[in-house]
Amino acid sequence: MEKIETNSGFWDKFFAGGAEFNRYSIISGVLLIVGCLGGLTVGFGAIDHTFQLILVVIPTMTTLSLLLALAPMKQILGVAALTIVIDVIIMIINFMS
């Protein structure tokens, strides 16, 4: 019998199929990166602009809520990646102005 591989998503390839197996180590890394990056983004200028603050807080809190709820790793990693991209963009915007 031939084994059929059903894990063909980006995160399954990135973690070599072990994202769910290594759930708690990934959660601690995501918590550290998203929490610290969100705080730095707010501290470096998003606190002065309401729209930027909303753009930082909503995805960051969504990611942290998914971590707390032990959502599927596919959802956690997708929202975390989006949160990191938004935080970096807003940080760059604040550094440029």
Side-chain angles (χ1 to χ4, degrees):
M1 243 2 217
E2 189 177 317
K3 183 179 177 185
I4 298 173
E5 187 67 34
T6 59
N7 296 332
S8 61
F10 173 76
W11 295 114
D12 290 323
K13 291 177 185 174
F14 186 78
F15 289 109
E20 287 293 337
F21 180 73
N22 297 319
R23 166 181 279 282
Y24 295 107
S25 61
I26 294 170
I27 284 177
S28 63
V30 168
L31 179 64
L32 180 70
I33 292 169
V34 169
C36 291
L37 189 60
L40 286 172
T41 305
V42 169
F44 285 137
I47 194 86
D48 297 328
H49 308 283
T50 305
F51 185 68
Q52 287 182 2
L53 188 62
I54 290 169
L55 284 178
V56 171
V57 168
I58 289 176
T60 301
M61 289 301 119
T62 302
T63 303
L64 296 177
S65 297
L66 288 173
L67 290 173
L68 186 63
L70 294 175
M73 288 306 295
K74 184 177 180 181
Q75 292 177 357
I76 292 173
L77 293 171
V79 175
L82 178 67
T83 301
I84 291 169
V85 168
I86 290 171
D87 287 348
V88 168
I89 288 171
I90 290 177
M91 199 177 293
I92 290 171
I93 288 170
N94 286 326
F95 280 147
M96 295 296 185
S97 60

